């Protein structure tokens, strides 16, 4: 069947129209618009009028594409910024008006489950492997562990590239004091995640979403953003740490000149890189070096949403 999935996060809103047969997903349309819905939410607790307008404009574009491709069943999922905003009803009403579908402001646990389903749907995973999927977003980061048999544990944390840029990394490039403060906060949230998710049992680490894919592109020194080169890339902890630290310390002008850097990620990739670097180092330490690499997946919560529509059979 054909399905349409929309993932509206803190930094971007993405559309996937896909044909699904026997659990295998084939892209028809895959599109991203950086709208920064969560701009300022961490400080104000509200979605700004400008951010809402940017998001509604993208929703109108997506509505036209969905209609153009046969008006398949749609699931619209909203995550961290919408969960946190006291005026989220304005967002819900605006999306319903433009797309004719009720946006689901999902919990962090549901976000984690969908991210896991999407990431592992296209990665070869042995029956005896325990996989940890990290979905590093704009407002939150999900830690979700599972096996071929299903989920083991999941934890959603309130750290993401937009939220932590606004909270900690105000200078361009950030100062060492700002980086140290953010590192401390990341460490505390990883402690919370590790209390619920068994890092020490992990045999395979998978990272998804734009911060992870951009760090991977930087580590690979790609001439452009090449999804086929990025997807499935397995990098050592040292390679990830080196690339992430480089991005963190670059000025925005230098980041913008990188051929694989999306304009909407220039100002927030430093925070995303620091979070990803900290996670891979922590998992390597928790497993006494057994996990010494991480795999990047271009398939994530968006794929999980599309698969969930097909599973409903509507």
């Amino acid at each position: 069947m054909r399905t349409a999935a929309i993932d509206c996060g803190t930094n971007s809103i993405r559309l996937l129209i896909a044909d699904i047969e026997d659990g295998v997903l084939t892209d028809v349309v895959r599109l991203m618009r950086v709208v920064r819905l969560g701009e300022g939410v961490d400080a104000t607790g509200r979605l700004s009028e400008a951010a809402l307008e940017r998001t509604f404009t993208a929703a109108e574009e997506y509505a036209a594409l969905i209609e153009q491709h046969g008006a398949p069943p749609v699931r619209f999922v909203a995550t961290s910024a919408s969960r946190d905003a006291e005026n989220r009803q304005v967002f819900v009403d605006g999306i319903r008006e433009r797309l004719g579908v009720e946006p689901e402001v999902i919990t962090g646990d549901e976000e984690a489950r969908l991210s896991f389903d999407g990431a592992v749907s296209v990665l070869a995973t042995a029956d005896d492997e325990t996989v940890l999927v990290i979905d590093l977003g704009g407002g939150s980061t999900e830690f979700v562990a599972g096996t071929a048999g299903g989920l083991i544990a999941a934890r959603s944390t309130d750290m993401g590239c937009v939220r932590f840029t606004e909270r900690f990394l105000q200078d361009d490039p950030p100062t060492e004091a700002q980086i140290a403060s953010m590192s401390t906060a990341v460490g505390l949230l990883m402690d919370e995640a590790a209390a619920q998710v068994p890092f020490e049992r992990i045999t395979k680490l998978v990272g998804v979403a734009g911060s992870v894919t951009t760090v991977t592109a930087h580590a690979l020194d790609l001439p452009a953003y090449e999804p086929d080169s990025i997807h499935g890339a397995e990098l050592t902890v040292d390679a990830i740490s080196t690339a992430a630290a480089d991005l963190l310390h670059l000025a925005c002008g230098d980041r913008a000149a990188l051929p694989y850097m999306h304009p909407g990620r220039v100002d927030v990739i430093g925070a995303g890189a620091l979070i990803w670097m900290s996670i891979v180092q922590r998992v390597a330490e928790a497993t006494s070096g057994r996990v010494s690499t991480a795999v990047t997946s271009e398939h994530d919560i968006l794929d999980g949403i599309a698969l969930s529509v097909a599973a409903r059979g509507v």
Side-chain angles (χ1 to χ4, degrees), residues 168-179:
F168 296 105
L169 306 184
Q170 292 88 7
D171 287 346
D172 176 27
T175 67
E176 291 303 318
Q178 290 168 355
I179 292 170

Side-chain angles (χ1 to χ4, degrees), residues 5-115:
I6 299 175
D7 166 39
C8 186
T10 300
N11 198 42
S12 64
I13 181 169
R14 300 180 300 149
L15 168 69
L16 173 61
I17 301 173
D19 291 331
I20 302 174
E21 184 173 359
D22 297 328
V24 177
L25 183 152
T26 302
D27 288 11
V28 177
V29 174
R30 190 182 287 263
L31 192 61
M32 177 183 75
R33 295 286 181 257
V34 173
V35 295
R36 197 64 61 85
L37 177 63
E39 185 175 53
V41 169
D42 189 56
T44 67
R46 294 181 61 82
L47 300 168
S48 73
E49 289 187 13
L52 285 166
E53 190 56 40
R54 292 192 297 267
T55 305
F56 292 156
T57 297
E60 289 166 1
E61 177 188 8
Y62 291 176
L65 283 167
I66 291 166
E67 182 68 24
Q68 179 183 330
H69 289 279
V74 181
R75 186 179 184 190
F76 187 113
V77 164
T79 54
S80 178
S82 324
R83 283 197 298 265
D84 296 344
E86 63 184 42
N87 63 334
R88 69 180 185 181
Q89 193 59 46
V90 177
F91 164 76
V92 170
D93 292 344
I95 293 299
R96 187 193 307 111
E97 177 184 339
R98 288 162 175 82
L99 280 158
V101 63
E102 189 75 15
E104 300 174 46
V105 182
I106 61 172
T107 66
D109 287 345
E110 173 71 355
E111 184 176 357
R113 185 185 66 78
L114 291 169
S115 297

Side-chain angles (χ1 to χ4, degrees), residues 152-181:
I152 295 171
R155 177 67 184 238
S156 179
T157 58
D158 281 339
M159 63 177 173
C161 61
V162 174
R163 186 189 298 272
F164 272 23
T165 297
E166 293 180 353
R167 190 178 294 184
F168 296 105
L169 306 184
Q170 292 88 7
D171 287 346
D172 176 27
T175 67
E176 291 303 318
Q178 290 168 355
I179 292 170
S181 294

Side-chain angles (χ1 to χ4, degrees), residues 161 164-165 169 174 179 182 211 215 244-250 252 255 261 265-277:
C161 61
F164 272 23
T165 297
L169 306 184
I179 292 170
M182 179 176 158
S211 289
V215 171
D246 191 40
L247 287 170
L248 173 62
H249 288 91
L250 285 176
C252 282
R255 294 174 187 166
M261 182 66 65
R265 207 168 298 285
V266 169
D267 60 331
V268 297
I269 187 58
L274 177 53
I275 294 169
W276 181 226
M277 173 175 64

Side-chain angles (χ1 to χ4, degrees), residues 217-238:
H218 192 58
L220 296 174
D221 194 23
L222 296 178
Y225 191 91
E226 300 174 350
D228 290 344
S229 299
I230 293 168
H231 179 66
E234 185 170 4
L235 300 174
T236 65
V237 172
D238 286 347

